[in-house]
C-alpha cells in the first residue's frame, strides 16, 4: 500500500528564515510526486510535479527535490504570505489514477 | 494552471434532504475526476474516482448509495449527498485530470457542507 509521511506537522518561521519540509514515501513504482499548497477553507493549489530521482523544480521562493525515498520542499527567505499547509502526494504505477496524500505541514511565517 | 470550478462554496441543509455539488473543468477536458472529503486538520480522503461516461469507482468504506457521483461530460462531474445527516457535514473537494498518465490533478475550491 502506498504511503506518504510528512514532517514536521507544523513549522513556525520568522520572515526570511529559510527551511525545508520533508515528504517520505513508499510506493510500488513512482509515476509522480506532487506538491500542493492549501489555504484554510480552500482547495489545494498545484505547485510541482516530480517524476524521477534527482529532479528539481523551482517557483519563486520554493524549490522541490526528489530522491528515491523522499522529497523536500525548500523555502528560501519566506514571507508571511507563504503561510499555508503544504501537501505532498504520490501516484503509483498501479492502474489507478488516484493520488495518496500525506497529512501536510502547516507553515506559519511571522513578520 | 488549469481551472476547476466547484459550486457551491458552502451549503447548509436540513437533515434528510439531498445536496448536489458541481465540479467543472473550465479550460480543459477532464477524463478523470476525483472526489475527496477533508476533516479538520486532516488530509484529503479520496471518496471516489469517476471517468466520463462510466460508473464511478468508490473507495472502501464509502457508501455508493449515499454519495452519488455522475460524470456525464468531459467538463462536469456532480456529487449528490443523499438523505444527508449531521455526520455528513464536512469539506468536500473535487479534482480533475487531463488525459494521459503523467499529469497533475487540479482542484476546485471546495464545498463546506453543514447538515443541521
Amino acid at each position: 500500500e502506498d504511503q506518504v509521511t510528512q514532517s514536521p506537522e507544523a513549522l513556525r518561521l520568522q520572515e526570511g528564515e529559510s527551511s525545508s519540509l520533508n515528504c517520505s514515501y513508499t510506493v510500488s513504482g513512482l509515476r509522480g510526486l506532487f506538491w500542493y499548497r492549501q489555504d484554510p477553507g480552500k482547495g489545494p493549489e498545484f505547485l510541482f510535479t516530480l517524476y524521477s530521482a534527482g529532479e528539481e523544480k523551482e517557483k519563486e521562493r520554493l524549490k522541490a527535490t526528489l530522491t528515491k525515498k523522499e522529497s523536500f520542499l525548500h523555502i528560501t527567505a519566506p514571507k508571511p504570505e507563504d503561510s499555508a499547509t503544504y501537501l505532498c502526494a504520490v501516484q503509483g504505477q498501479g492502474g489507478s489514477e488516484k493520488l495518496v496524500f500525506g497529512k501536510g505541514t502547516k507553515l506559519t511565517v511571522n513578520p | 494552471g488549469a481551472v476547476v470550478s466547484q459550486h457551491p462554496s458552502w451549503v447548509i441543509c436540513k437533515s434528510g434532504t439531498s445536496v448536489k455539488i458541481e465540479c467543472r473543468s473550465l479550460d480543459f477536458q477532464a477524463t478523470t475526476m476525483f472526489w475527496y472529503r477533508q476533516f479538520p486538520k486532516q488530509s484529503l480522503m479520496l471518496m471516489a474516482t469517476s471517468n466520463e461516461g462510466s460508473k464511478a469507482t468508490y473507495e472502501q468504506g464509502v457508501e455508493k448509495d449515499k454519495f452519488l457521483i455522475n460524470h456525464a461530460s468531459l467538463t462536469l462531474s456532480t456529487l449528490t449527498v443523499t438523505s444527508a445527516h449531521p455526520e455528513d457535514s464536512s469539506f468536500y473537494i473535487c479534482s480533475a485530470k487531463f488525459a494521459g498518465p503523467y499529469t497533475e490533478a487540479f482542484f476546485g475550491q471546495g464545498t463546506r457542507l453543514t447538515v443541521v
Side-chain angles (χ1 to χ4, degrees):
Chain A
E1 184 179 334
D2 300 342
Q3 286 190 320
V4 177
T5 303
Q6 291 187 247
S7 62
E9 289 186 16
L11 180 63
R12 284 186 175 272
L13 299 173
Q14 289 298 122
E15 185 172 1
E17 180 186 2
S18 301
S19 188
S20 297
L21 313 182
N22 178 263
C23 170
S24 297
Y25 65 91
T26 55
V27 64
S28 53
L30 181 70
R31 284 170 63 182
L33 183 141
F34 306 86
W35 281 98
Y36 289 87
R37 168 192 170 129
Q38 186 176 24
D39 293 302
K42 303 289 185 183
E45 174 190 345
F46 171 75
L47 294 174
F48 303 109
T49 309
L50 300 168
Y51 294 111
S52 57
E55 190 174 1
E56 299 183 352
K57 288 192 176 174
E58 287 188 66
K59 179 181 180 181
E60 296 181 351
R61 296 177 292 283
L62 299 177
K63 178 180 177 181
T65 62
L66 180 66
T67 72
K68 290 186 178 180
K69 295 183 178 180
E70 58 191 351
S71 176
F72 290 94
L73 184 65
H74 307 278
I75 302 177
T76 302
K79 298 182 178 182
E81 53 261 42
D82 294 323
S83 298
T85 294
Y86 290 85
L87 298 170
C88 173
V90 296
Q91 183 179 28
Q93 289 284 358
S96 172
E97 297 279 341
K98 70 180 183 181
L99 302 181
V100 175
F101 279 86
K103 293 186 176 181
T105 293
K106 183 177 181 180
L107 174 66
T108 304
V109 182
N110 297 314
Chain B
V3 179
V4 176
S5 177
Q6 190 173 335
H7 178 80
S9 296
W10 60 270
V11 58
I12 301 173
C13 71
K14 291 185 177 181
S15 187
T17 62
S18 295
V19 173
K20 180 183 284 189
I21 302 169
E22 289 189 353
C23 179
R24 294 181 183 272
S25 55
L26 297 187
D27 52 1
F28 67 101
Q29 292 188 327
T31 53
T32 307
M33 288 188 170
F34 307 86
W35 287 95
Y36 294 85
R37 185 172 179 177
Q38 188 174 34
F39 295 99
K41 299 184 179 181
Q42 296 292 318
S43 191
L44 284 73
M45 182 191 81
L46 180 66
M47 298 174 66
T49 303
S50 72
N51 291 292
E52 184 263 340
S54 61
K55 290 185 178 180
T57 302
Y58 289 80
E59 294 298 300
Q60 192 172 11
V62 178
E63 298 177 60
K64 301 178 183 181
D65 295 332
K66 180 162 197 58
F67 300 100
L68 300 179
I69 293 171
N70 183 281
H71 191 163
S73 76
L74 286 172
T75 59
L76 173 65
S77 177
T78 60
L79 168 67
T80 301
V81 183
T82 62
S83 187
H85 291 283
E87 57 264 31
D88 299 322
S89 297
S90 191
F91 191 56
Y92 293 88
I93 314 174
C94 72
S95 72
K97 273 179 98 271
F98 292 93
Y102 292 98
T103 56
E104 54 271 14
F106 297 93
F107 285 80
Q109 60 266 55
T111 298
R112 172 69 61 190
L113 170 63
T114 303
V115 185
V116 298

